[in-house]
Amino acid sequence: MLTPKFAKATNSFHVELKHRINNYFESTGKPTTGGFRLFSKAVFLEAALVVLYISAVFFTPEKTWVDILLCVLMGIVIAGIGFNIMHDGGHGSFSKHPLMNRIAAYSTELVGASQFMWNMKHNVIHHAYTNIDGVDDDIDAKPFLRMATTQKKYKMHRFQHLYFWILYAVLYLYWVLMNDYTKYFKRKVGDIPLKKMRTKDHILFWAFKVVYCAIFIVIPMARLGFVDWLVGYLAVCCTTGLILSVVFQLAHTVEHTQFPMPDKATGKMEDEWAVHQLKTTANFATKNKLISWYVGGLNFQVEHHLFPKISHIHYPAINKIVKQACKEYNVTYIEYKYMASAFVSHVHFLREMGKSA
Protein backbone atom coordinates (compact mmCIF):
# COMPACT_ATOMS: atom_id res chain seq x y z
CA MET A 1 0.00 0.00 0.00
CA LEU A 2 1.14 3.54 -0.79
CA THR A 3 1.58 5.81 2.22
CA PRO A 4 -1.81 7.52 2.67
CA LYS A 5 -1.91 11.22 1.80
CA PHE A 6 -4.64 13.35 3.32
CA ALA A 7 -6.59 15.91 1.31
CA LYS A 8 -5.76 19.61 1.54
CA ALA A 9 -8.86 21.71 2.14
CA THR A 10 -9.19 25.33 1.03
CA ASN A 11 -11.32 26.26 4.02
CA SER A 12 -9.43 23.98 6.39
CA PHE A 13 -11.32 22.71 9.41
CA HIS A 14 -8.03 21.79 11.07
CA VAL A 15 -6.49 25.24 10.66
CA GLU A 16 -9.57 26.91 12.13
CA LEU A 17 -9.71 24.44 15.00
CA LYS A 18 -6.04 25.00 15.90
CA HIS A 19 -6.63 28.74 15.80
CA ARG A 20 -9.51 28.49 18.28
CA ILE A 21 -7.62 26.19 20.65
CA ASN A 22 -4.56 28.46 20.56
CA ASN A 23 -6.79 31.42 21.38
CA TYR A 24 -8.19 29.53 24.37
CA PHE A 25 -4.77 28.95 25.92
CA GLU A 26 -3.59 32.48 25.12
CA SER A 27 -6.68 34.06 26.68
CA THR A 28 -6.61 31.89 29.81
CA GLY A 29 -2.85 31.94 30.24
CA LYS A 30 -2.86 28.22 31.02
CA PRO A 31 0.03 25.99 29.96
CA THR A 32 -0.87 23.12 27.64
CA THR A 33 0.94 20.64 29.88
CA GLY A 34 -0.30 18.77 32.96
CA GLY A 35 1.20 20.73 35.83
CA PHE A 36 0.71 19.89 39.52
CA ARG A 37 -2.62 18.10 39.01
CA LEU A 38 -1.01 15.51 36.78
CA PHE A 39 2.23 15.32 38.77
CA SER A 40 0.32 14.58 42.01
CA LYS A 41 -1.69 11.89 40.25
CA ALA A 42 1.54 10.33 38.97
CA VAL A 43 3.04 10.26 42.47
CA PHE A 44 -0.12 8.62 43.84
CA LEU A 45 -0.20 5.91 41.16
CA GLU A 46 3.50 5.10 41.40
CA ALA A 47 3.34 4.97 45.21
CA ALA A 48 0.27 2.72 45.04
CA LEU A 49 2.11 0.30 42.75
CA VAL A 50 5.12 0.13 45.10
CA VAL A 51 2.92 -0.47 48.15
CA LEU A 52 0.88 -3.19 46.41
CA TYR A 53 4.00 -4.90 45.05
CA ILE A 54 5.77 -4.97 48.43
CA SER A 55 2.60 -6.17 50.16
CA ALA A 56 2.07 -9.00 47.66
CA VAL A 57 5.69 -10.15 47.36
CA PHE A 58 7.36 -9.43 50.72
CA PHE A 59 4.40 -9.41 53.11
CA THR A 60 2.30 -12.01 51.36
CA PRO A 61 -1.12 -12.43 53.02
CA GLU A 62 -1.89 -15.91 54.36
CA LYS A 63 -5.22 -15.99 52.55
CA THR A 64 -4.82 -16.65 48.83
CA TRP A 65 -7.83 -14.56 47.83
CA VAL A 66 -6.33 -11.49 49.53
CA ASP A 67 -3.07 -11.90 47.61
CA ILE A 68 -4.97 -12.32 44.34
CA LEU A 69 -6.94 -9.18 45.15
CA LEU A 70 -3.67 -7.29 45.66
CA CYS A 71 -2.50 -8.53 42.26
CA VAL A 72 -5.74 -7.44 40.59
CA LEU A 73 -5.36 -4.00 42.19
CA MET A 74 -1.77 -3.94 40.93
CA GLY A 75 -3.05 -4.60 37.42
CA ILE A 76 -5.54 -1.74 37.75
CA VAL A 77 -2.77 0.62 38.89
CA ILE A 78 -0.39 -0.46 36.08
CA ALA A 79 -3.09 0.35 33.52
CA GLY A 80 -3.61 3.70 35.26
CA ILE A 81 0.11 4.46 35.01
CA GLY A 82 -0.04 3.73 31.30
CA PHE A 83 -3.08 5.96 30.77
CA ASN A 84 -1.89 8.91 32.83
CA ILE A 85 1.89 8.99 33.10
CA MET A 86 3.38 7.12 30.17
CA HIS A 87 0.79 8.33 27.68
CA ASP A 88 1.09 12.05 28.44
CA GLY A 89 4.85 11.73 28.81
CA GLY A 90 5.15 9.99 25.46
CA HIS A 91 3.24 12.80 23.78
CA GLY A 92 5.30 15.49 25.52
CA SER A 93 2.31 16.89 27.40
CA PHE A 94 3.11 15.69 30.93
CA SER A 95 5.38 18.61 31.76
CA LYS A 96 6.92 21.71 30.21
CA HIS A 97 10.32 20.17 30.99
CA PRO A 98 11.51 17.67 28.32
CA LEU A 99 13.38 15.60 30.92
CA MET A 100 10.20 15.12 32.98
CA ASN A 101 8.35 14.05 29.86
CA ARG A 102 11.06 11.53 29.09
CA ILE A 103 10.97 10.14 32.64
CA ALA A 104 7.17 9.89 32.50
CA ALA A 105 7.31 8.17 29.11
CA TYR A 106 9.84 5.64 30.37
CA SER A 107 7.61 4.67 33.29
CA THR A 108 6.16 2.10 30.91
CA GLU A 109 9.54 0.36 30.68
CA LEU A 110 9.41 -0.54 34.38
CA VAL A 111 6.13 -2.37 33.82
CA GLY A 112 7.37 -4.24 30.77
CA ALA A 113 6.57 -2.25 27.62
CA SER A 114 9.21 -0.69 25.36
CA GLN A 115 8.78 3.07 25.01
CA PHE A 116 10.67 3.01 21.70
CA MET A 117 8.25 0.48 20.17
CA TRP A 118 5.21 2.22 21.68
CA ASN A 119 6.25 5.59 20.28
CA MET A 120 6.57 4.14 16.78
CA LYS A 121 3.34 2.14 16.98
CA HIS A 122 1.20 4.75 18.72
CA ASN A 123 2.56 8.27 18.19
CA VAL A 124 3.96 7.86 14.69
CA ILE A 125 1.58 5.38 13.05
CA HIS A 126 -1.71 5.18 14.94
CA HIS A 127 -2.15 8.93 15.42
CA ALA A 128 -1.29 9.71 11.81
CA TYR A 129 -3.24 6.92 10.08
CA THR A 130 -6.06 6.05 12.48
CA ASN A 131 -8.24 3.10 11.41
CA ILE A 132 -6.55 2.73 8.00
CA ASP A 133 -6.28 -1.01 7.49
CA GLY A 134 -2.82 -2.15 6.51
CA VAL A 135 -1.17 0.81 8.24
CA ASP A 136 -2.71 1.27 11.70
CA ASP A 137 -1.31 -1.61 13.76
CA ASP A 138 -3.98 -1.05 16.44
CA ILE A 139 -6.66 -2.64 14.27
CA ASP A 140 -4.47 -5.54 13.20
CA ALA A 141 -5.43 -8.52 15.34
CA LYS A 142 -5.39 -11.04 12.51
CA PRO A 143 -6.31 -13.84 12.36
CA PHE A 144 -8.09 -13.89 15.72
CA LEU A 145 -10.19 -10.72 15.35
CA ARG A 146 -11.60 -8.97 12.31
CA MET A 147 -11.63 -5.20 12.87
CA ALA A 148 -12.48 -3.90 9.39
CA THR A 149 -14.44 -5.09 6.35
CA THR A 150 -11.23 -4.95 4.32
CA GLN A 151 -9.74 -7.73 6.44
CA LYS A 152 -10.18 -11.40 5.58
CA LYS A 153 -13.05 -13.11 7.35
CA TYR A 154 -12.67 -16.54 8.92
CA LYS A 155 -15.43 -18.79 10.25
CA MET A 156 -14.34 -18.23 13.84
CA HIS A 157 -15.07 -14.50 13.50
CA ARG A 158 -18.77 -15.33 13.81
CA PHE A 159 -18.04 -15.79 17.51
CA GLN A 160 -15.51 -13.02 18.05
CA HIS A 161 -18.04 -10.95 20.00
CA LEU A 162 -18.09 -13.81 22.52
CA TYR A 163 -14.42 -14.79 22.80
CA PHE A 164 -12.80 -11.34 22.56
CA TRP A 165 -12.56 -11.26 26.38
CA ILE A 166 -9.85 -13.90 26.34
CA LEU A 167 -7.77 -12.09 23.74
CA TYR A 168 -8.08 -8.75 25.52
CA ALA A 169 -7.04 -10.34 28.80
CA VAL A 170 -3.83 -11.78 27.34
CA LEU A 171 -2.94 -8.61 25.40
CA TYR A 172 -0.57 -7.29 28.06
CA LEU A 173 1.15 -10.66 28.42
CA TYR A 174 1.61 -10.84 24.65
CA TRP A 175 2.82 -7.24 24.57
CA VAL A 176 5.57 -7.49 27.19
CA LEU A 177 6.67 -11.08 26.59
CA MET A 178 6.47 -11.34 22.80
CA ASN A 179 5.27 -8.37 20.75
CA ASP A 180 8.07 -5.95 21.66
CA TYR A 181 10.66 -8.60 20.78
CA THR A 182 8.91 -9.39 17.49
CA LYS A 183 9.06 -5.72 16.48
CA TYR A 184 12.67 -5.49 17.62
CA PHE A 185 13.95 -8.43 15.57
CA LYS A 186 11.73 -7.88 12.51
CA ARG A 187 12.51 -4.14 12.57
CA LYS A 188 8.87 -3.50 11.68
CA VAL A 189 5.61 -2.36 13.27
CA GLY A 190 3.11 -4.29 11.19
CA ASP A 191 4.27 -3.59 7.64
CA ILE A 192 5.90 -0.24 8.49
CA PRO A 193 9.71 -0.25 8.89
CA LEU A 194 10.93 0.63 12.37
CA LYS A 195 12.97 3.81 12.58
CA LYS A 196 16.67 3.16 13.00
CA MET A 197 17.66 2.38 16.57
CA ARG A 198 20.76 4.05 17.97
CA THR A 199 23.19 2.19 20.21
CA LYS A 200 21.58 3.89 23.21
CA ASP A 201 18.14 2.65 22.11
CA HIS A 202 19.38 -0.95 21.93
CA ILE A 203 20.98 -0.71 25.38
CA LEU A 204 17.86 0.83 26.95
CA PHE A 205 15.60 -1.75 25.31
CA TRP A 206 17.49 -4.71 26.76
CA ALA A 207 18.37 -3.10 30.09
CA PHE A 208 14.75 -2.32 30.91
CA LYS A 209 13.64 -5.77 29.79
CA VAL A 210 16.11 -7.29 32.27
CA VAL A 211 14.88 -4.95 35.03
CA TYR A 212 11.25 -5.88 34.32
CA CYS A 213 12.01 -9.60 34.40
CA ALA A 214 13.86 -9.19 37.68
CA ILE A 215 11.05 -7.21 39.35
CA PHE A 216 8.03 -9.12 38.11
CA ILE A 217 9.37 -12.62 37.43
CA VAL A 218 12.64 -13.53 39.17
CA ILE A 219 12.15 -11.88 42.59
CA PRO A 220 8.47 -12.88 43.08
CA MET A 221 9.19 -16.43 41.89
CA ALA A 222 12.09 -16.72 44.35
CA ARG A 223 9.96 -15.37 47.19
CA LEU A 224 6.67 -17.15 46.49
CA GLY A 225 7.49 -20.25 44.47
CA PHE A 226 6.53 -20.95 40.87
CA VAL A 227 2.82 -21.73 41.25
CA ASP A 228 1.97 -18.81 43.54
CA TRP A 229 4.02 -16.45 41.35
CA LEU A 230 2.27 -17.69 38.20
CA VAL A 231 -1.21 -17.21 39.66
CA GLY A 232 -0.37 -13.71 40.87
CA TYR A 233 1.43 -12.74 37.65
CA LEU A 234 -1.50 -13.87 35.52
CA ALA A 235 -3.90 -11.92 37.77
CA VAL A 236 -1.81 -8.77 37.30
CA CYS A 237 -1.32 -9.13 33.55
CA CYS A 238 -4.86 -10.22 32.65
CA THR A 239 -6.35 -7.34 34.64
CA THR A 240 -4.04 -4.84 32.96
CA GLY A 241 -4.64 -6.29 29.51
CA LEU A 242 -8.40 -6.31 29.82
CA ILE A 243 -8.55 -2.69 31.00
CA LEU A 244 -6.09 -1.38 28.39
CA SER A 245 -7.83 -3.23 25.57
CA VAL A 246 -11.35 -2.13 26.42
CA VAL A 247 -10.45 1.56 26.89
CA PHE A 248 -8.51 1.81 23.63
CA GLN A 249 -11.05 -0.22 21.63
CA LEU A 250 -13.95 1.97 22.72
CA ALA A 251 -12.17 4.91 21.09
CA HIS A 252 -12.01 3.56 17.53
CA THR A 253 -13.84 0.27 17.02
CA VAL A 254 -17.49 1.00 17.70
CA GLU A 255 -20.52 1.04 15.44
CA HIS A 256 -20.30 4.68 14.38
CA THR A 257 -16.59 5.00 13.63
CA GLN A 258 -15.35 4.56 10.07
CA PHE A 259 -12.42 2.80 8.42
CA PRO A 260 -11.57 4.90 5.35
CA MET A 261 -9.06 3.59 2.83
CA PRO A 262 -6.80 5.53 0.44
CA ASP A 263 -7.16 5.40 -3.31
CA LYS A 264 -5.25 2.32 -4.49
CA ALA A 265 -3.61 4.15 -7.38
CA THR A 266 -2.68 7.46 -5.74
CA GLY A 267 -2.75 6.75 -1.99
CA LYS A 268 -4.92 9.84 -1.49
CA MET A 269 -7.53 10.00 1.26
CA GLU A 270 -10.92 11.63 0.78
CA ASP A 271 -10.72 13.92 3.82
CA GLU A 272 -8.22 16.26 5.41
CA TRP A 273 -6.45 14.80 8.42
CA ALA A 274 -8.58 16.43 11.16
CA VAL A 275 -11.86 15.35 9.54
CA HIS A 276 -10.45 11.84 9.19
CA GLN A 277 -9.79 11.84 12.95
CA LEU A 278 -13.40 12.83 13.67
CA LYS A 279 -14.70 10.03 11.47
CA THR A 280 -12.52 7.37 13.06
CA THR A 281 -12.62 8.35 16.73
CA ALA A 282 -15.26 8.34 19.48
CA ASN A 283 -15.62 9.76 22.99
CA PHE A 284 -17.40 8.08 25.89
CA ALA A 285 -18.52 8.96 29.42
CA THR A 286 -17.06 12.47 29.29
CA LYS A 287 -19.25 13.61 32.20
CA ASN A 288 -17.99 10.86 34.48
CA LYS A 289 -15.18 12.43 36.52
CA LEU A 290 -13.95 9.16 38.02
CA ILE A 291 -13.55 7.51 34.62
CA SER A 292 -11.91 10.65 33.21
CA TRP A 293 -9.46 10.70 36.13
CA TYR A 294 -8.55 7.04 35.87
CA VAL A 295 -8.22 6.68 32.08
CA GLY A 296 -6.19 9.87 31.77
CA GLY A 297 -8.74 11.64 29.61
CA LEU A 298 -8.71 8.88 27.00
CA ASN A 299 -12.49 8.95 27.10
CA PHE A 300 -11.97 12.34 25.39
CA GLN A 301 -10.31 10.49 22.55
CA VAL A 302 -11.45 12.98 19.89
CA GLU A 303 -9.67 15.85 21.61
CA HIS A 304 -6.64 13.68 22.23
CA HIS A 305 -6.30 12.71 18.58
CA LEU A 306 -6.72 16.25 17.38
CA PHE A 307 -4.33 17.72 19.97
CA PRO A 308 -2.07 14.94 21.33
CA LYS A 309 0.49 17.42 22.67
CA ILE A 310 -2.09 18.99 25.00
CA SER A 311 -2.37 17.30 28.39
CA HIS A 312 -5.54 15.37 29.11
CA ILE A 313 -6.41 17.61 32.07
CA HIS A 314 -7.51 20.26 29.55
CA TYR A 315 -9.77 18.02 27.46
CA PRO A 316 -13.04 18.86 29.26
CA ALA A 317 -12.46 22.55 28.49
CA ILE A 318 -11.44 22.24 24.84
CA ASN A 319 -14.16 19.64 24.26
CA LYS A 320 -16.71 22.46 24.00
CA ILE A 321 -14.58 24.34 21.46
CA VAL A 322 -14.16 21.27 19.27
CA LYS A 323 -17.88 20.48 19.37
CA GLN A 324 -18.79 24.01 18.33
CA ALA A 325 -16.35 23.93 15.43
CA CYS A 326 -17.72 20.56 14.29
CA LYS A 327 -21.24 21.98 14.35
CA GLU A 328 -20.24 24.99 12.24
CA TYR A 329 -18.28 22.90 9.72
CA ASN A 330 -20.92 20.13 9.61
CA VAL A 331 -18.44 17.50 10.80
CA THR A 332 -19.91 14.55 12.72
CA TYR A 333 -18.79 14.31 16.35
CA ILE A 334 -19.12 10.78 17.77
CA GLU A 335 -19.77 10.49 21.49
CA TYR A 336 -21.36 7.92 23.77
CA LYS A 337 -22.92 9.28 26.93
CA TYR A 338 -21.96 6.28 29.05
CA MET A 339 -19.07 3.86 29.03
CA ALA A 340 -21.56 0.98 29.10
CA SER A 341 -23.23 2.16 25.90
CA ALA A 342 -19.84 2.49 24.19
CA PHE A 343 -18.95 -1.03 25.32
CA VAL A 344 -22.25 -2.44 24.00
CA SER A 345 -21.57 -0.67 20.71
CA HIS A 346 -18.12 -2.26 20.55
CA VAL A 347 -19.60 -5.73 21.08
CA HIS A 348 -22.17 -5.06 18.34
CA PHE A 349 -19.34 -3.87 16.09
CA LEU A 350 -17.41 -7.11 16.64
CA ARG A 351 -20.52 -9.13 15.90
CA GLU A 352 -21.17 -7.25 12.65
CA MET A 353 -17.52 -7.62 11.56
CA GLY A 354 -17.89 -11.35 12.13
CA LYS A 355 -21.00 -11.50 9.93
CA SER A 356 -20.50 -8.90 7.19
CA ALA A 357 -18.85 -9.56 3.85
Side-chain angles (χ1 to χ4, degrees):
M1 182 192 295
L2 296 173
T3 302
K5 301 178 183 66
F6 293 98
K8 295 182 179 179
T10 304
N11 185 24
S12 174
F13 168 74
H14 193 203
V15 170
E16 175 61 23
L17 196 53
K18 286 194 294 184
H19 175 69
R20 296 186 187 189
I21 297 299
N22 288 337
N23 282 345
Y24 167 78
F25 284 102
E26 288 175 6
S27 63
T28 60
K30 295 179 179 179
T32 58
T33 50
F36 178 77
R37 285 172 57 192
L38 183 51
F39 181 75
S40 59
K41 189 197 296 192
V43 170
F44 171 78
L45 289 170
E46 294 287 3
L49 179 60
V50 171
V51 170
L52 289 168
Y53 177 86
I54 292 174
S55 300
V57 176
F58 295 98
F59 298 96
T60 310
E62 293 183 4
K63 295 183 178 180
T64 303
W65 72 267
V66 176
D67 202 31
I68 292 176
L69 177 60
L70 289 175
C71 292
V72 169
L73 290 174
M74 204 183 306
I76 293 171
V77 172
I78 289 174
I81 289 171
F83 293 143
N84 293 275
I85 306 173
M86 179 274 283
H87 195 242
D88 271 35
H91 283 291
S93 64
F94 183 87
S95 168
K96 63 181 180 180
H97 303 292
L99 179 60
M100 285 299 299
N101 283 321
R102 190 167 178 80
I103 292 172
Y106 270 83
S107 65
T108 189
E109 299 276 3
L110 295 176
V111 290
S114 167
Q115 171 58 28
F116 187 94
M117 302 304 167
W118 169 261
N119 179 69
M120 184 71 187
K121 169 187 169 68
H122 183 76
N123 294 13
V124 177
I125 299 174
H126 171 67
H127 269 267
Y129 307 111
T130 313
N131 278 13
I132 299 178
D133 184 31
V135 185
D136 185 0
D137 192 56
D138 280 14
I139 59 169
D140 183 4
K142 300 188 292 287
F144 304 107
L145 293 174
R146 185 175 187 242
M147 293 292 193
T149 55
T150 48
Q151 296 175 352
K152 184 176 180 180
K153 186 175 72 171
Y154 297 97
K155 289 183 179 179
M156 64 179 175
H157 292 150
R158 292 173 54 197
F159 308 102
Q160 67 177 7
H161 64 290
L162 301 175
Y163 65 71
F164 74 93
W165 293 97
I166 301 171
L167 299 177
Y168 288 3
V170 300
L171 166 78
Y172 182 66
L173 268 173
Y174 174 70
W175 183 359
V176 300
L177 298 181
M178 187 173 180
N179 202 24
D180 275 349
Y181 299 103
T182 300
K183 291 179 173 64
Y184 181 87
F185 288 110
K186 285 187 174 181
R187 295 290 191 269
K188 287 183 177 181
V189 177
D191 294 327
I192 307 298
L194 198 66
K195 69 178 181 179
K196 187 176 180 179
M197 297 180 73
R198 299 166 296 175
T199 301
K200 182 177 71 172
D201 296 321
H202 288 286
I203 293 173
L204 287 173
F205 179 87
W206 288 108
F208 276 115
K209 289 298 183 186
V210 170
V211 170
Y212 171 78
C213 288
I215 294 174
F216 286 94
I217 297 176
V218 177
I219 294 174
M221 195 184 299
R223 291 281 305 176
L224 306 173
F226 178 77
V227 174
D228 287 350
W229 162 77
L230 183 61
V231 172
Y233 186 65
L234 289 176
V236 171
C237 292
C238 289
T239 301
T240 304
L242 193 59
I243 294 171
L244 290 175
S245 297
V246 169
V247 170
F248 281 109
Q249 294 291 16
L250 299 190
H252 302 290
T253 53
V254 287
E255 292 171 292
H256 297 92
T257 51
Q258 299 180 27
F259 298 78
M261 292 294 289
D263 183 274
K264 291 183 179 180
T266 65
K268 291 183 178 179
M269 301 294 296
E270 181 181 354
D271 300 303
E272 64 168 307
W273 178 82
V275 175
H276 175 87
Q277 295 303 319
L278 266 297
K279 287 185 174 181
T280 58
T281 308
N283 283 3
F284 61 89
T286 57
K287 302 297 183 184
N288 189 313
K289 292 184 178 181
L290 178 60
I291 289 176
S292 297
W293 183 90
Y294 175 67
V295 304
L298 290 177
N299 52 331
F300 288 88
Q301 192 74 198
V302 170
E303 286 70 29
H304 171 61
H305 264 254
L306 291 171
F307 301 99
K309 291 187 179 299
I310 295 176
S311 175
H312 71 264
I313 68 170
H314 301 292
Y315 293 164
I318 68 174
N319 167 266
K320 300 172 184 177
I321 301 172
V322 174
K323 280 185 175 179
Q324 181 60 34
C326 287
K327 184 178 180 180
E328 293 174 18
Y329 276 74
N330 196 29
V331 177
T332 301
Y333 188 102
I334 306 170
E335 183 170 4
Y336 293 89
K337 188 174 182 180
Y338 304 107
M339 187 172 185
S341 56
F343 182 78
V344 170
S345 183
H346 174 61
V347 175
H348 288 170
F349 166 83
L350 289 176
R351 185 173 60 186
E352 288 304 310
M353 286 298 104
K355 292 166 53 181
S356 63

